[in-house]
Amino acid sequence: MEKLTDTIQPLGADKIKLNVNHAIEFAPKPRLQRKYGITIKYYNGGSEDVAKRIDYQIHLLINQFRDENKTWQLCFNKSDLFIDRHEPDFVSEQLASMAMAAIYPVKVDVNSVNEVFRGIVNHSEILKRWEQVAEKIGDKYEGRYAELFLSKMENKIADRYELQNALRVDMFWNIFFHPQFLKYQPDLSQQISFSFPVIAYKNVTFEGIQSVAPYYTDYGTFKVNFHSESETTAEQAALLNQEGAFKMKLNAICDLDRDGGLLKHARVDWKLYKKKDPNEIAVKQIQFTAYEIESSVQAANPGLHKNEGSDPVPVEKKKGFWTRVLG
């Protein structure tokens, strides 16, 4: 993979500025609202046909605390879930969609390197929503499967640490909180670990090189890239239902705001393959994309945030969005 620091300076481009620790500064604007469209595509074998596709939206609201230095509260809401280009229709999909409505909005506090340090701070709100959702599920669905789902979700949601662990195997959560605001070498690269749930409900750790593009883009962002390639372990192969020697490759690219370092766009490509010189024979592939749909700043009236809960993010429907995304 070509080092970005070796690229020629684009005409008129500004060189990226890091802080005194030679790190990216995370300092998003307070009262910023951003909406992302998320698309996850799964491929089997070398086929170009999508085996499974998931689409949804993430609504993000940012508040900065007025009584704590460089501390923000991020409120995430999740909506408009589509599976294989249609609303959830199987029982398992409908149950997952209803549980999503209980968990979100979810609020966390972060510091100047975008680390969650107080866990989920609106757990009591989530518990209240879950009581209502669980009652609806019990009224609508009967049988052993629904009872088992309710029992597992009850245990997961009741413990806020367990719930946070569950969020850590969410693809968007992983890419949003991936460590990017760290100290880089003089060549703007760093050896780092990247966790991503390429196995269902389980993160896989990839070791590789992360690098920062040396110049800002023409549209007010800068790029952070990660690349890893490795042999699968016996445990990973078993979890992926494969036998034999395989390799994995993961490439990720994030577009961050020049002012504040907030995620704007992201793409992660993962491939499980066999090497048969000079070819790579794909066995499984995942393509994850997150892209900004809308971004705005609330009026100054709400002010800086006190160290307490805030109202959930309003869900805004945008006509024509899913028509454009789903085709």
Side-chain angles (χ1 to χ4, degrees), residues 21 41 66 76 86 89 98 108 138 153 158 162 189 195 202 210 224 233 255-256 263 304-305 313 320:
N21 297 318
K41 296 178 182 178
R66 66 187 180 194
F76 297 91
H86 56 72
D89 52 7
M98 294 177 76
V108 293
M153 284 301 302
E162 281 294 314
S189 70
S195 294
K202 186 176 179 64
Q210 184 161 286
V224 178
T233 65
D255 230 2
L256 306 181
L263 181 71
L304 296 179
H305 198 61
V313 183

Side-chain angles (χ1 to χ4, degrees), residues 129-244:
R129 288 197 298 266
W130 172 245
E131 288 179 5
Q132 299 171 351
V133 169
E135 185 177 349
K136 290 179 182 178
I137 291 174
D139 292 340
K140 186 174 182 180
Y141 300 98
E142 294 181 351
R144 176 62 181 160
Y145 183 85
E147 292 175 1
L148 184 61
F149 178 84
L150 282 170
S151 176
K152 287 189 173 183
M153 284 301 302
E154 181 72 35
N155 293 333
K156 189 75 67 176
I157 289 179
D159 186 327
R160 72 187 186 105
Y161 298 104
E162 281 294 314
L163 182 56
Q164 187 174 347
N165 286 334
L167 289 172
R168 287 194 181 105
V169 293
D170 174 87
M171 287 189 179
F172 176 80
W173 193 271
N174 262 272
I175 196 70
F176 189 91
F177 290 110
H178 168 63
Q180 301 180 87
F181 308 92
L182 45 82
K183 183 177 181 179
Y184 288 93
Q185 300 296 332
D187 66 350
L188 298 179
S189 70
Q190 186 62 272
Q191 183 81 26
I192 195 172
S193 299
F194 187 109
S195 294
F196 203 69
V198 298
I199 299 172
Y201 310 113
K202 186 176 179 64
N203 276 324
V204 173
T205 300
F206 298 86
E207 303 293 337
I209 298 294
Q210 184 161 286
S211 58
V212 182
Y215 302 101
Y216 296 112
T217 68
D218 292 339
Y219 48 95
T221 66
F222 59 94
K223 296 185 182 298
V224 178
N225 298 264
F226 176 86
H227 173 74
S228 174
E229 192 165 0
S230 63
E231 303 279 350
T232 58
T233 65
E235 180 186 6
Q236 290 169 347
L239 290 169
L240 290 162
N241 297 317
Q242 303 296 325
E243 294 182 359

Side-chain angles (χ1 to χ4, degrees), residues 63-65 68-73 109-111 117-118:
N63 278 302
Q64 186 173 4
F65 288 117
E68 294 185 50
N69 184 39
K70 293 186 177 180
T71 305
W72 295 263
Q73 184 169 103
D109 295 344
V110 301
N111 55 24
F117 67 95
R118 274 193 282 253

Side-chain angles (χ1 to χ4, degrees), residues 8 15 33 56 100 126 144 165 218 224 290:
I8 298 174
K15 192 170 184 178
Q33 297 181 97
Y56 57 88
M100 183 183 83
I126 295 171
R144 176 62 181 160
N165 286 334
D218 292 339
V224 178

Side-chain angles (χ1 to χ4, degrees), residues 27-35 59-66 71-75 257 262 294-306 310-311 313-314:
K29 295 178 181 178
R31 305 183 305 278
L32 179 65
Q33 297 181 97
R34 180 160 290 174
K35 186 192 298 184
H59 307 250
L60 172 63
L61 172 63
I62 297 174
N63 278 302
Q64 186 173 4
F65 288 117
R66 66 187 180 194
T71 305
W72 295 263
Q73 184 169 103
L74 309 182
C75 181
D257 288 337
L262 185 67
E294 294 178 2
S295 192
S296 62
V297 177
Q298 286 182 337
N301 185 43
L304 296 179
H305 198 61
K306 292 183 180 180
S310 61
D311 293 333
V313 183

